[in-house]
Every structure is written in structure tokens, then in C-alpha cells.
Amino acid sequence: MARWKQSWSEEDLSRLRKLAGTKPVTTIAKELGRTTGTVLAKAIEQKLPVIYRNERTPQRQAAR
């Protein structure tokens, strides 16, 4: 069964509560083996603090 179809165990929720607000959602998702969207949705549902960083690659300056 796909991981996103599995319900959240008490252990998963406990880990999410410990990590929420200390690491970005993308990092937490990797540690829990879940998608960023499901972790973000669960954190919001549980009213946990969320760190969401929009990581972008630096833009190169145009050649003059």
C-alpha cells in the first residue's frame, strides 16, 4: 500500500509533534517517509508550527 494511503500512527504523530517548528516541512517529510503535502496538512490539522522554506536556486546574472 502506498505510504500516503496509510493512516498516521501514534508514533508518526509523536515524531511530527517533536519535529514541527524545528525543521522545514520538506525535511520532516523525508524523515517520516511521507509527502510534503501530507505532512503540511497534518501539521495544520494538529495546529503545529510550520517552517516552510521556498528553496530556489540563485538566478544567474544576465550577460552584458
Side-chain angles (χ1 to χ4, degrees), residues 2-61:
R3 181 73 173 137
W4 64 270
K5 290 183 179 180
Q6 292 180 359
S7 60
W8 286 76
S9 69
E10 197 54 45
E11 181 182 337
D12 287 340
L13 287 173
S14 176
R15 287 181 64 199
L16 176 60
R17 287 184 198 110
K18 287 179 186 176
L19 297 172
T22 64
K23 296 182 178 186
V25 172
T26 53
T27 305
I28 295 172
K30 287 178 186 174
E31 289 186 24
L32 294 177
R34 294 183 179 265
T35 65
T36 303
T38 57
V39 171
L40 182 60
K42 185 55 80 172
I44 291 170
E45 176 188 296
Q46 298 287 311
K47 296 182 170 98
L48 299 172
V50 175
I51 299 174
Y52 187 79
R53 294 195 182 123
N54 195 4
E55 297 179 22
R56 297 182 186 176
T57 56
Q59 294 179 353
R60 290 188 272 167
Q61 293 180 347

